Amino acid sequence: MDQLPPALPHGLLEEVFPDVFFVTGMMKTVLMDVPWQFNRNMVVVRDGDALTLINSIRLDETGLTRLEGLGRVANVVKIGSMHGRDDAFYRQRYGAKLWALAGMTHEHGLVADRELRPDGEMPFAGCGVFVFQTTKRPECILSIDRAGGILVSSDSLQNWLESDEFFSDESRQLMTEMGFFQPANLGPLWMRINEPQPDDFARLCKLSFRHALCGHGAPLRETAKEAYTARIQEMFGH
């Protein structure tokens, strides 16, 4: 696995809802020909002894020991086209099945084992898939039928309230200027690249959910539906 990207600094895995875990770590990438360094989140869902990793983050050995203590790493799910840096690590180390939308491209020569479809097989019980139909790149949101309804997004829904120690000073300044740091936000760069149309968000507002665990930002508890509905109305007028 030496050819795969190394583990970057990250925090602790925390159980944010029963059998739903959340960890924040660092991301380094190049976007628009500019180096970026910011934070990102991984969600782990436990179903029996099987673990499903969404928006995977390669953990260090201490973190992996904690992860293995939760159960068996069975699935990795790619829901956003701009994520996937560490999917191959979990595929190789644990033999986890990779789930993804049709048309997604994968790093390190990966090929998806299972296709995510709203009417298809799911990686764990109580899982649903909302697929954006107008974006230029494939993107979806997972729903978890627990705790009143939890959405798990990648870049489409964000809840970045502030920067932290995982940010570089340059990215902190750039992302402040671009409007990233707002509660219940739609990802500014994702919106620019994907140009989603209002119909997608009208369908999204019809979903039943109370919480959101986004690929970037803090967990949004209890008021997620109201907050994102208000943001969507502000941006699209409905």
Side-chain angles (χ1 to χ4, degrees), residues 14 45 50-51 56 131 186 204:
E14 298 181 358
V45 179
L51 304 179
S56 72
V131 180
L186 308 182
L204 182 66

Side-chain angles (χ1 to χ4, degrees), residues 99 101 115-123 127-131:
W99 299 68
L101 295 174
E115 181 182 325
L116 272 178
R117 302 195 314 270
D119 59 349
E121 183 184 4
M122 293 294 157
C127 178
V129 178
F130 172 88
V131 180

